[in-house]
Amino acid sequence: MPYKRNVYERAIYKEPAPIRDHENPFESMVKRFDIAAQILELDPGFYSYLVKPTRIHITAIPVVMDNGYIQMFDGYRVIHNEVLGPSKGGIRFAPDVTIEEVSALAAWMTWKCAIVGVPFGGAKGAIACNPREMSEGELERMTRRYTANLLDVFGPDKDIPAPDMNTNAQIMAWILDTYNMHVRANTNAVVTGKPIMLGGSHGRVEATGRGVMIVTKAAMRELNIDIEGSTVAVQGFGNVGSIAAKLLSEQGCTVVAVSDISGGYYNENGLDIEAMIAYCKDGNGTLEGYSNAQIISNSELLALEVDVLVPAAKEDQITERNAHEIKARIICEGANGPTSPAADKILSDNGVLVIPDILANAGGVTVSYFEWVQDRQGFFWTEARVNKRLDRMMSGAFDAVYKAAQNYQVTPRIGAYVLAIRKVADALKMRGIYG
Ligand code: GLU
């Protein structure tokens, strides 16, 4: 097998990290940050403080694989900002993850928390691995060693991980257990998105998809689109896409298309989302072989004539190559970073209302905050209470972003960046610079 340099070595050898497409996610974040900073006439010192991650941790994770051999994995935890509170953000497992991607995702967490008004900073973690090729035991050993390596970073008042792409409540349970074994305590607020029986919150699993539904409805109201009979296409059928599709169809939308790694599925009269979720669960976790729909490609799905398009898969899906083909009136970004800066301009020129990722998918971290609050109180809420509070915070954030966009005559994305950066900059000013 050819030897592949890891990210640390790439930095030493000055090789560019592989970029999934022509956009580097961190540069994409900075491009939007620059526009907002100009609007805010942000002080240059504040600019350099806020744009950069505070800390980048890179750690080598040795794992004894089932075959007895040791395999090394690259682990990352980027703390982007801690001005508003302990840093918060998920951990993803993906084979092609890069430090630029993790840094962008960490920065987006900072802006997300600021927009919805939860008292956290932003962070993100990742392990470069292919979880589909690993056994449960290998995943557990890798997760525990990653946690042990970063023990000084994590903590309920320091940095709080959560699930993200390819990680789930079980992985959070292993992190919780490893952390608590080391610190000789039983602190469940060290991670969120954990199983309910270990101090998880009702409604956390559905929270991101529910948030997508709430802001989509708010956007439809602004554009006078009747929810009943409106059409929706959802790219991605994981935790975010499948729940968003389910909740939007419950609200009266006709979900005409969804997709996952196995392809796109279309039915002009509406798909049976409940049946598709059940099919996924019964099968191998994908929609492969689902027969009650017409098969379409990913690019066909993105170009469908629908009222709402929900990209809920991964970064860099809507770029200058395909943005002009989009016919949806609203794009609600369930994924982080699905649209490139060049595509932003095309979509805005074409009058598409984009609900930006840092608002649209903030439902997850909002309920993570509720979970952290419940853990620290040792008092747990009903699902109805969680959902009601989520609705209030997401609706409030949507209104604030929409108003900012109108005030500054910018897109909702730039409006969201302006609000977020102003909030963190104001807090930084109050705290002052130590030293
Ligand atoms: N991974 C989720 C996100 O990207 C949730 C993070 C959290 O709950 O801390 O927003």
Side-chain angles (χ1 to χ4, degrees):
M1 207 176 78
Y3 175 66
K4 249 179 88 193
R5 286 179 186 149
N6 68 22
V7 68
Y8 197 62
E9 290 165 315
R10 279 202 299 268
I12 295 167
Y13 289 99
K14 300 224 166 16
E15 285 176 7
I19 293 168
R20 232 198 298 271
D21 207 339
H22 62 292
E23 296 284 348
N24 164 337
F26 192 75
E27 280 168 14
S28 300
M29 190 287 292
V30 174
K31 278 189 184 158
R32 279 75 173 246
F33 184 97
D34 282 350
I35 303 172
Q38 255 175 28
I39 293 173
L40 288 166
E41 295 178 12
L42 194 66
D43 168 271
F46 276 58
Y47 177 95
S48 14
Y49 188 119
L50 297 177
V51 78
K52 276 175 68 158
T54 310
R55 281 179 282 139
I56 297 181
H57 302 273
I58 301 179
T59 182
I61 309 166
V63 178
V64 179
M65 304 302 277
D66 291 346
N67 62 12
Y69 288 103
I70 297 170
Q71 193 171 327
M72 298 302 294
F73 294 91
D74 294 329
Y76 311 101
R77 184 74 180 168
V78 175
I79 314 288
H80 174 260
N81 192 282
E82 300 164 284
V83 169
L84 290 179
S87 51
K88 185 85 192 79
I91 294 172
R92 66 172 52 180
F93 290 172
D96 51 358
V97 72
T98 64
I99 197 72
E100 290 87 356
E101 180 185 340
V102 186
S103 302
L105 289 160
W108 285 326
M109 286 310 302
T110 303
W111 314 135
K112 229 181 266 191
C113 292
I115 289 166
V116 283
V118 304
F120 289 139
K124 200 76 165 202
I127 303 179
C129 66
N130 188 349
R132 283 176 201 280
E133 288 172 0
M134 294 171 72
S135 71
E136 169 126 343
E138 290 168 342
L139 284 173
E140 175 171 358
R141 293 193 290 281
M142 182 180 75
T143 304
R144 287 186 182 276
R145 184 59 190 256
Y146 171 82
T147 310
N149 285 6
L150 295 173
L151 201 73
D152 295 333
V153 176
F154 300 138
D157 290 309
K158 289 155 77 175
D159 179 43
I160 308 137
D164 196 76
M165 210 182 270
N166 293 328
T167 56
N168 56 24
Q170 174 63 76
I171 308 265
M172 297 307 114
W174 291 328
I175 295 177
L176 176 148
D177 187 67
T178 310
Y179 176 84
N180 282 301
M181 288 292 126
H182 279 271
V183 301
R184 302 271 188 265
N186 222 329
T187 310
N188 52 13
V190 66
V191 285
T192 60
K194 55 191 170 285
I196 304 234
M197 70 179 85
L198 297 178
S201 177
H202 287 290
R204 175 62 187 85
V205 173
E206 299 81 15
T208 312
R210 181 170 291 276
V212 165
M213 179 273 284
I214 295 165
V215 293
T216 300
K217 274 177 71 184
M220 284 170 132
R221 260 196 307 274
E222 293 296 340
L223 299 191
N224 289 320
I225 300 174
D226 211 348
I227 295 177
E228 206 61 50
S230 62
T231 50
V232 178
V234 181
Q235 184 202 35
F237 207 63
N239 180 245
V240 182
S242 65
I243 306 280
K246 175 172 166 257
L247 295 177
L248 283 167
S249 63
E250 277 173 18
Q251 294 293 317
C253 302
T254 306
V255 180
V256 294
V258 301
S259 68
D260 72 0
I261 45 165
S262 69
Y265 301 84
Y266 174 77
N267 186 336
E268 62 173 337
N269 299 317
L271 296 161
D272 184 345
I273 301 300
E274 297 263 18
M276 294 181 97
I277 291 175
Y279 182 89
C280 238
K281 274 199 186 125
D282 290 346
N284 57 356
T286 78
L287 290 165
E288 180 92 67
Y290 183 78
S291 54
N292 233 338
Q294 192 186 320
I295 306 294
I296 57 170
S297 70
N298 186 44
S299 35
E300 282 169 334
L301 181 140
L302 294 175
L304 283 174
E305 205 152 316
V306 284
D307 294 304
V308 181
L309 173 64
V310 180
K314 54 180 185 176
E315 290 104 74
D316 216 9
Q317 297 299 298
I318 304 172
T319 65
E320 61 186 330
R321 285 168 289 122
N322 61 1
H324 57 274
E325 289 166 7
I326 286 180
K327 296 173 200 79
R329 294 173 67 192
I330 296 170
I331 294 180
C332 186
E333 296 183 334
N336 290 306
T339 310
S340 74
D344 278 351
K345 164 119 184 46
I346 300 168
L347 295 171
S348 147
D349 289 348
N350 290 345
V352 182
L353 172 60
V354 179
I355 312 172
D357 47 5
I358 52 176
L359 165 65
N361 67 41
V365 75
T366 303
V367 177
S368 274
Y369 166 57
F370 297 163
E371 181 173 330
W372 181 82
V373 169
Q374 293 170 74
D375 289 341
R376 306 195 78 173
Q377 287 187 328
F379 179 74
F380 292 88
W381 311 348
T382 60
E383 183 163 355
R385 185 172 198 171
V386 168
N387 290 347
K388 197 166 162 199
R389 290 189 162 161
L390 174 64
D391 197 312
R392 199 159 60 209
M393 284 175 76
M394 291 298 292
S395 302
F398 178 89
D399 291 344
V401 166
Y402 201 75
K403 210 192 269 153
Q406 285 179 330
N407 280 351
Y408 293 102
Q409 294 287 301
V410 290
T411 59
R413 189 189 310 283
I414 299 303
Y417 271 78
V418 167
L419 285 185
I421 295 168
R422 186 166 59 204
K423 185 161 182 186
V424 184
D426 285 349
L428 175 60
K429 204 167 180 180
M430 291 218 155
R431 288 179 73 138
I433 303 294
Y434 177 73

